[in-house]
Amino acid sequence: MRANFVDTVMARLDGEVATIWATVLLRLEDRPDVALLRRGLRALVRENERLNVAWNDARRAWVPAVRGDVEVDAVLVEGAEPLSEPDAVARIINTRVDLTRDVPLRLHLHPMVDAAQGPWLLGIQLHHAIGDAKALAHLLERLWLLCAGRGSESRPLEPSTLTDGKVLLAALRQPGRVLGLASPRRRLLAQRGMGLRRSGDTAGHALLATARLTLPQGDTDLQASEVFFSALLAGVALRESPADGRIRLRMPVDLRRMLGLGRTLGNGCSAVPIELSLKEVRSRLEAPRELARFLRSEVQRVLDEGVHWTTALECMAVARLVPARVLRKNARPGLIAEPRTNTLVVTYLGRMDTHFTEAPFRIRSMRSHTATWGATGLSFADTLNINTAAFQGLWTREELRDFTERVAGWASSGFGLRAEVLAP
């Protein structure tokens, strides 16, 4: 078992610490039934061989490791001390897990001091080498059925069948995708784009803030994904110096759907660079819907060019052919654990309600976190949550809050949305 594409390159550089955790954070109305969750988790781990693995430091690889009930029960960690949401979130996203021993899936349950927002917080994490955020959503759908004793109503998730061979064959159907490797604009690992200003060069503890926007009912012209991406672009443009340059985002594109692979437990995204002129973005800051249309056309152009196949080929070639010494010497900061990156990684997860309709508890609100310098967006109920992430040492808490407030303020004034900011 291994990760795919840029995750493979990162694993060669830094082992298990390089690959990130996909995290969803839920505020609950009541304390969940812990015994019920543990029974469901036991069944979930038993039926998924991809969860029965451990990291082997000597081999720098994932190896089979069958888990017993005691090990699976330890997946759910219960906190006794009531915490504020910022403190609980910081504890969850900064907890180190010994992947040579522990299951690469983790649940954290904490009582909250500010009970009015939901007296309990449940954090759910999946290691990205096992599966990405989309896989985590499908895994949770399965967990809810197992908790209810209804496992027979759907099939267990199959291990990922996305292979280098399938990607290579798909890419070769259009030779331009291979020739695209000659262009730095189409390469994920190229030294391009504007580096965001930062406080230092050492990545410390992870930080999370959220801009929560209330979406209007009935506005079919306003898409949550476009608000997410355009608000982030505006935040960058408002924060950075007015000098001309390129804003370079990294955006994951799911290859599973394009290859017809369906619901599997794995990570199937190839990251693509989205380059935008800072001047072009600035010229549209007073016209939010125009900025959203501009961004949509640029993203569609990148997809039409098949850059997601080009970057997949690039990472496959680098991971397989480049000696470890050369790889580490020439690796960009975005690929090594310290320092991390100055190119924002942006992921829109889509509407999450459907993945939690069968959950054995009532959810008041939802946030997400991925340990990168970037942002994840999701829609839940009537809200769009823009979850910004950084590391202490690259940005301070105040810098992350300032950036998130700029994102929220621009989206609120430009699209007429009610906004609040949750920040450490």
Side-chain angles (χ1 to χ4, degrees):
M1 190 209 84
R2 66 174 186 79
N4 287 315
F5 315 127
V6 72
D7 290 297
T8 309
V9 179
M10 293 170 68
R12 286 197 61 203
L13 285 166
D14 291 311
E16 61 88 4
V17 301
T19 310
I20 56 183
W21 291 83
T23 303
V24 62
L25 301 156
L26 311 173
R27 288 295 294 263
L28 308 181
E29 293 192 2
D30 301 290
R31 187 179 189 277
D33 186 333
V34 171
L36 181 69
L37 285 175
R38 284 202 168 106
R39 286 198 299 272
L41 285 167
R42 288 181 182 184
L44 186 71
V45 173
R46 278 197 299 269
E47 70 180 23
N48 283 283
E49 63 180 54
R50 203 168 173 88
L51 294 175
N52 287 272
V53 295
W55 178 259
N56 186 297
D57 278 324
R59 294 167 56 181
R60 296 182 72 78
W62 295 91
V63 297
V66 178
R67 309 297 186 171
D69 288 347
V70 173
E71 294 166 295
V72 177
D73 288 348
V75 165
L76 176 54
V77 180
E78 297 181 76
E81 174 190 5
L83 299 173
S84 67
E85 183 164 333
D87 287 344
V89 168
R91 184 174 297 187
I92 290 169
I93 64 178
N94 287 294
T95 296
R96 285 299 305 274
V97 177
D98 184 357
L99 289 167
T100 65
R101 182 191 63 196
D102 297 331
V103 178
L105 173 69
R106 182 72 44 165
L107 277 68
H108 309 256
L109 181 63
H110 288 284
M112 293 285 98
V113 171
D114 52 334
Q117 301 301 316
W120 294 88
L121 185 144
L122 178 65
I124 307 171
Q125 298 182 293
L126 180 68
H127 199 270
H128 204 268
I130 309 303
D132 53 21
K134 180 62 70 174
L136 174 58
H138 293 318
L139 195 68
L140 292 178
E141 290 179 2
R142 181 66 182 163
L143 175 60
W144 311 144
L145 288 178
L146 291 170
C147 286
R150 295 161 49 201
S152 60
E153 294 183 14
S154 71
R155 298 181 59 183
L157 267 67
E158 298 290 338
S160 176
T161 57
L162 181 63
T163 64
D164 288 358
K166 289 180 180 178
V167 172
L168 182 60
L169 287 174
L172 289 176
R173 292 191 183 105
Q174 296 187 33
R177 296 168 178 172
V178 180
L179 297 176
L181 289 168
S183 170
R185 182 175 60 83
R186 297 187 181 188
R187 291 205 305 268
L188 186 66
L189 308 182
Q191 295 278 8
R192 289 173 65 87
M194 180 182 68
L196 275 71
R197 288 180 291 120
R198 61 189 190 185
S199 303
D201 293 316
T202 301
H205 285 168
L207 299 172
L208 170 67
T210 297
R212 180 169 290 154
L213 305 166
T214 302
L215 298 171
Q217 300 296 317
D219 188 348
T220 56
D221 293 330
L222 185 63
Q223 296 186 29
S225 60
E226 293 179 353
V227 176
F228 168 72
F229 286 112
S230 57
L232 287 172
L233 281 179
V236 172
L238 291 169
R239 183 180 187 276
E240 298 301 319
S241 64
D244 288 344
R246 293 184 306 273
I247 301 175
R248 194 176 218 233
L249 308 176
R250 284 192 288 162
M251 185 183 76
V253 176
D254 194 345
L255 302 186
R256 288 166 295 202
R257 181 182 301 176
M258 300 177 184
L259 294 172
L261 299 182
R263 294 156 54 99
T264 59
L265 183 53
N267 53 357
C269 291
S270 177
V272 299
I274 306 292
E275 287 190 6
L276 299 155
S277 162
L278 180 59
K279 182 178 179 180
E280 292 277 6
V281 173
R282 285 185 179 278
S283 70
R284 293 171 170 82
L285 288 180
E286 300 301 320
R289 292 179 188 258
E290 184 181 337
L291 178 58
R293 287 193 294 271
F294 167 68
L295 175 61
R296 182 197 310 165
S297 67
E298 289 299 300
V299 171
Q300 190 59 54
R301 179 183 58 78
V302 169
L303 295 177
D304 290 343
E305 291 178 357
V307 176
H308 42 293
W309 301 107
T310 303
T311 55
L313 291 175
E314 173 195 17
C315 293
M316 284 162 47
V318 169
R320 284 180 174 271
L321 302 177
V322 178
R325 175 181 56 82
V326 176
L327 182 61
R328 175 161 285 279
K329 179 181 178 181
N330 293 281
R332 292 182 58 205
L335 297 178
I336 53 180
E338 192 178 299
R340 261 302 182 197
T341 183
N342 59 359
T343 302
L344 287 179
V345 181
V346 293
T347 307
Y348 183 65
L349 303 177
R351 175 154 290 284
M352 299 297 288
D353 302 66
T354 56
H355 303 297
F356 291 87
T357 54
E358 302 291 339
F361 40 70
R362 290 179 293 179
I363 301 170
R364 187 77 61 86
S365 64
M366 183 182 300
R367 303 168 71 187
S368 62
H369 176 261
T370 304
T372 61
W373 193 355
T376 58
L378 63 88
S379 299
F380 181 77
D382 63 347
T383 62
L384 166 64
N385 296 276
I386 302 176
N387 306 286
T388 56
F391 298 95
Q392 284 183 313
L394 303 183
W395 273 0
T396 63
R397 295 171 185 266
E398 292 72 24
E399 286 175 303
L400 180 64
R401 175 185 284 273
D402 175 72
F403 176 71
T404 310
E405 288 177 344
R406 290 175 188 266
V407 168
W410 183 87
S412 177
S413 61
F415 293 105
L417 307 177
R418 185 167 61 86
E420 63 173 324
V421 171
L422 308 175

